[in-house]
Amino acid sequence: MTTGDAGIGAGSLRVPIYRAADIRAAEAPLLRDGVPLMARAAHALAEIAAARLDPASGHRVVDLAGRGDNGGDALFAGTELAAAGTDVDIVLVGGAAHEGGLAAALAAGARVTDLSVIGDRHVGLILDGMMGLGGGGSLRDGARDAAIALARHRPAGARVLAVDLPSGLDPDTGDADDLVPAADETVTFGGVKAGLARGRGPALSGRLTLVDIGLTPGLAAAAPVGEADVAAIVRASAMRFSGRDARRTSEAGGAGAPPEHA
């Protein structure tokens, strides 16, 4: 896999943080114009995941995918990884999935399996795409079961890469129950969510990488609620996917995902 994303910076960088409502408002006009935000996010996530995968620790990737946009991001990232030859196992923690993302991942060679795969000693990277902005500080149903399996059976060398924010973390307050999985790194899209810098957010998010997917004009009208340090900012400048199946959903829904970012 060749790297198509250009890094804006590395090291400790101070950036503003925003409420979830501000992120959604910044996305809305781009979604109306058909901008494939999910494609941008997923491609950057795939590039970062590929860079973090250490074959010495494990060559397999487990994709914990929820029903919403974070699950779609994880599935399209898994598509790129599988297409590049990585073994990708998908666990559908919400029962259903982002339809376009799942179809693309399966066509690229990824497999759907169950939670027992988490304990496989060949697993080197786990993508946490179970929940997103809809997380209210706790995990529910299949995501809760997956978090328990992750806590009990995660191989010692496997790294957790959170998609946008650790699943179950409240995006505004940083509230989280004891089952919210701690990430080694969080790849967050568009802007840093306030919850990543508040409450339990800093302890659960690990290294924080911000991916610029083009929300800057929309966020210019929003009032930041503080600041946070990020390790790097990456510009999502290349897209492997385009079209309806690789876009984030609008408030009216679409692309096989529910209307909320969860």
Side-chain angles (χ1 to χ4, degrees):
M1 181 182 298
T2 57
T3 301
D5 294 340
I8 297 175
S12 181
L13 306 170
R14 198 76 172 162
V15 298
I17 61 175
Y18 299 95
R19 297 176 304 129
D22 295 325
I23 299 293
R24 289 190 175 107
E27 288 179 338
L30 300 177
L31 293 169
R32 286 195 297 269
D33 291 341
V35 177
L37 298 182
M38 184 172 286
R40 295 178 179 179
H43 180 72
L45 178 63
E47 296 286 348
I48 293 167
R52 303 296 183 260
L53 188 61
D54 180 4
S57 299
H59 63 271
R60 298 176 70 179
V61 172
V62 173
D63 203 334
L64 300 177
R67 301 189 315 120
D69 286 341
N70 278 41
D73 294 334
L75 288 168
F76 278 115
T79 300
E80 292 204 34
L81 293 168
T86 301
D87 290 331
V88 177
D89 293 293
I90 299 167
V91 179
L92 301 176
V93 301
H98 184 287
E99 294 175 1
L102 179 59
L106 294 177
R111 302 167 296 273
V112 174
T113 185
D114 58 35
L115 287 173
S116 65
V117 72
I118 289 177
D120 191 300
R121 64 184 179 87
H122 298 296
V123 172
L125 188 69
I126 298 167
L127 296 180
D128 172 13
M130 297 187 288
M131 296 177 66
L133 296 184
S138 63
L139 293 165
R140 303 180 295 274
D141 303 325
R144 185 176 181 85
D145 294 337
I148 292 171
L150 190 59
R152 291 178 178 173
H153 305 300
R154 170 186 171 185
R159 305 180 70 180
V160 175
L161 195 62
V163 181
D164 204 29
L165 73 168
S167 289
L169 182 75
D170 188 286
D172 290 333
T173 67
D175 289 345
D177 67 20
D178 290 339
L179 283 179
V180 171
D184 294 284
E185 180 174 359
T186 296
V187 180
T188 195
F189 307 119
V192 175
K193 289 71 187 172
L196 292 169
R198 294 174 168 175
R200 298 191 64 203
L204 293 172
S205 58
R207 170 189 166 100
L208 189 56
T209 298
L210 172 62
V211 177
D212 177 4
I213 58 173
L215 302 190
T216 302
L219 289 175
V225 293
E227 293 184 326
D229 290 320
V230 299
I233 303 174
V234 174
R235 178 177 292 115
S237 58
M239 293 172 285
R240 188 68 54 89
F241 304 104
S242 62
R244 182 177 62 86
D245 288 338
R247 293 176 186 161
R248 284 184 174 270
T249 55
S250 67
E251 291 184 0
E260 72 276 9
H261 292 195

